[in-house]
Amino acid sequence: MFVLVEMVDTVRIPPWQFERKLNDSIAEELNKKLANKVVYNVGLCICLFDITKLEDAYVFPGDGASHTKVHFRYVVFHPFLDEILIGKIKGCSPEGVHVSLGFFDDILIPPESLQQPAKFDEAEQVWVWEYETEEGAHDLYMDTGEEIRFRVVDESFVDTSPTGPSSAEATSSSEELPKKEAPYTLMVGSISEPGLGLLSWWTSS
């Protein structure tokens, strides 16, 4: 679920931090820049793990700050495909079941990947597994807040860097705002395997 990623960046340290240890100042600046941010095709950055190398620092004309090229390792949330994770149901919609890990919310289990047969209860706004038994079908609700075990089968990175408006956008109404997309989304695969789905389904009474 968490990986160490080697990175290189140039860190600017303002003059009022020169009295501090250089490593402490650099660590603080790196965490300010990267913590809780998504790096394209890398994952969600969590925190600095360590600094492996500091190159020479430079002060440029007109800027009293020092600029240091830093080699470091960062803790990143990036589950591997087919990894099994446990989260909590954040909510349900016709698009599927939305799951949260607490620090990461952009997880979706689409309808075709739920325990089958499944239906969406419009009144309750929850997905329901119509569990077949010898006595007939029993409705098992996927309620908000329930813990759920799922398998990661796909992920999606979206480049959300700002871009200039196209000619078509320039002529469109200013009231039309582009749809905001999450920079990193986990598309979760089937939970219809034995042991996957709500933990309460598989807990012996």
Side-chain angles (χ1 to χ4, degrees):
M1 182 163 67
F2 297 102
V3 295
L4 278 181
V5 178
E6 294 183 357
M7 299 183 179
V8 180
D9 196 7
T10 298
V11 178
R12 179 182 183 274
I13 303 298
W16 55 84
Q17 291 195 30
F18 286 173
E19 62 182 17
R20 300 179 60 192
K21 291 182 178 179
L22 181 59
N23 279 32
D24 292 343
S25 296
I26 287 176
E28 181 178 317
E29 293 300 319
L30 287 174
N31 281 324
K32 281 182 182 178
K33 181 176 182 179
L34 295 172
N36 205 31
K37 304 291 194 307
V38 172
V39 176
Y40 188 67
N41 282 340
V42 175
L44 175 66
C45 294
I46 304 298
C47 65
L48 179 69
F49 183 75
D50 62 6
I51 296 172
T52 57
K53 181 181 178 182
L54 294 177
E55 298 191 12
D56 292 336
Y58 296 92
V59 177
F60 298 107
D63 183 4
S66 68
H67 299 258
T68 308
K69 190 173 184 179
V70 184
H71 300 251
F72 58 97
R73 294 187 295 175
Y74 218 87
V75 178
V76 173
F77 170 70
H78 191 173
F80 56 83
L81 298 185
D82 286 331
E83 183 172 359
I84 304 295
L85 301 177
I86 295 177
K88 285 190 176 182
I89 296 178
K90 185 180 178 184
C92 294
S93 72
E95 296 178 347
V97 177
H98 302 268
V99 180
S100 172
L101 295 178
F103 61 91
F104 185 78
D105 293 339
D106 295 306
I107 303 172
L108 174 67
I109 305 176
E112 63 273 14
S113 299
L114 300 173
Q115 298 277 4
Q116 300 298 326
K119 65 179 180 181
F120 184 65
D121 188 321
E122 292 283 353
E124 298 290 337
Q125 289 293 298
V126 296
W127 280 93
V128 181
W129 177 22
E130 298 176 298
Y131 180 63
E132 297 288 345
T133 68
E134 296 179 355
E135 301 174 355
H138 290 269
D139 289 345
L140 300 179
Y141 289 80
M142 305 181 198
D143 293 318
T144 299
E146 288 280 353
E147 289 189 311
I148 185 169
R149 182 185 292 114
F150 58 89
R151 182 187 300 277
V152 177
V153 298
D154 196 12
E155 63 182 4
S156 174
F157 284 94
V158 177
D159 188 355
T160 57
S161 302
T163 57
S166 64
S167 57
E169 290 173 341
T171 57
S172 64
S173 171
S174 59
E175 296 180 358
E176 296 179 2
L177 297 176
K179 182 180 178 181
K180 187 175 181 181
E181 296 184 88
Y184 180 41
T185 303
L186 291 183
M187 302 297 291
V188 179
S190 175
I191 63 167
S192 60
E193 305 168 45
L196 298 185
L198 269 64
L199 300 189
S200 59
W201 293 345
W202 310 105
T203 302
S204 58
S205 55

